[in-house]
Amino acid sequence: MSPGAPSADETAAPSLRSDAERNRARIIAAARTVFGRGGLNASMASVAREAGVGIATLFRRFPTKEDLVAAVFADRMDAYADVVTEALDDPDPWRGLVGIIESVCAMQAADYGFADVLTMTFPTAKTLEQRRIEVYHSVVQLIDRAKAAGRLREDFTPEDLVLIYMANAGVVNATGHDVPDAWRRVVALMIQSYQAPARGPLPDSPEPDALYRAMLRASQASFASPGPPERHGGT
């Protein structure tokens, strides 16, 4: 071997790293497809099949399903944050809030996986959860502004926004194949019901801690389940 020429080990290492990175990208792309059409109940085995890798390779790259979810939906959470930032810049806070609801519900309708992400919580996915918290505080600001402007009913709470996403996810999952735009009517009805002046009192809002437990239970149930047959026909 000539002086200065790389050894076999040195040339092999970059190749191994390159293969690992290709596998990681392939797995993320596959998971985006599988979760997008089947929601988070889809199994890790189905992701491995879609990616064309062994299940052991998948778990080397992503030791837990939460790790994979965090990687797959990081860009979706960024897009959600961008929607909220744009809404905060709107001089009409009610229009901004409506824009958030409509845009995010449309994102749910287009991606079953993201529909699930917004109705669950993932304590070990620190970056994803931190992003969610940042967005939450921005939305609270907008809710307060819309109330101050007299456009949003006073008894609306941030937890109601979570309930909207939960309700929309249910409608999308139930009707996505046969009536793909049904969610639009349901969301419009909910938006109109929250507009001021209120047309009547509402039952008490869920306690934040109780709603968090419900979201956590949903994520635990989803990750524990082997997954139902995959749904098809999302918009």
Side-chain angles (χ1 to χ4, degrees):
M1 184 173 64
S2 61
S7 68
D9 287 344
E10 288 172 334
T11 57
S15 177
L16 289 173
R17 286 195 295 271
S18 178
D19 287 345
E21 190 54 41
R22 280 196 296 271
N23 280 340
R24 186 179 190 278
R26 188 181 302 131
I27 290 167
I28 290 175
R32 183 167 287 133
T33 298
V34 171
F35 291 151
R37 72 186 177 217
L40 297 189
N41 275 341
S43 68
M44 294 287 269
S46 65
V47 173
R49 285 195 299 272
E50 181 77 19
V53 302
I55 192 69
T57 297
L58 188 154
F59 279 109
R60 277 198 300 273
R61 302 280 78 79
F62 301 99
T64 70
K65 196 172 183 181
E66 284 197 6
D67 294 328
L68 181 57
V69 167
V72 169
F73 293 102
D75 62 337
R76 301 295 195 273
M77 288 302 291
D78 287 343
Y80 180 21
D82 289 343
V83 167
V84 173
T85 298
E86 183 178 347
L88 282 170
D89 290 338
D90 194 317
D92 182 341
W94 169 252
R95 185 172 59 200
L97 182 60
V98 169
I100 290 175
I101 294 171
E102 292 177 341
S103 296
V104 174
C105 287
M107 292 168 67
Q108 287 184 295
D111 186 329
Y112 284 123
F114 190 64
D116 288 343
V117 165
L118 287 182
T119 65
M120 300 178 185
T121 187
F122 310 97
T124 65
K126 301 299 185 183
T127 301
L128 187 71
E129 287 302 295
Q130 181 59 40
R131 196 67 163 138
R132 188 203 301 275
I133 291 168
E134 292 170 359
V135 173
Y136 171 83
H137 288 307
S138 295
V139 173
V140 169
Q141 290 181 41
L142 192 61
I143 287 171
D144 290 342
R145 292 181 193 175
K147 288 181 181 180
R151 301 294 305 280
L152 176 65
R153 57 187 300 157
E154 284 295 328
D155 52 1
F156 184 91
T157 71
E159 288 68 45
D160 289 320
L161 201 59
V162 178
L163 295 180
I164 290 173
Y165 298 153
M166 287 180 167
N168 188 57
V171 171
V172 166
N173 288 334
T175 67
H177 179 73
D178 299 301
V179 196
D181 287 333
W183 67 272
R184 297 183 185 277
R185 182 176 178 86
V186 175
V187 170
L189 288 167
M190 288 191 288
I191 288 171
Q192 290 178 29
S193 73
Y194 293 129
Q195 192 169 10
R199 291 160 180 78
L202 292 173
D204 290 342
S205 174
E207 291 294 328
D209 287 348
L211 191 56
Y212 176 84
R213 289 195 298 272
M215 295 171 69
L216 181 60
R217 188 174 294 110
S219 64
Q220 291 171 337
S222 178
F223 286 4
S225 170
E230 293 178 355
R231 301 184 292 269
H232 297 275
T235 57

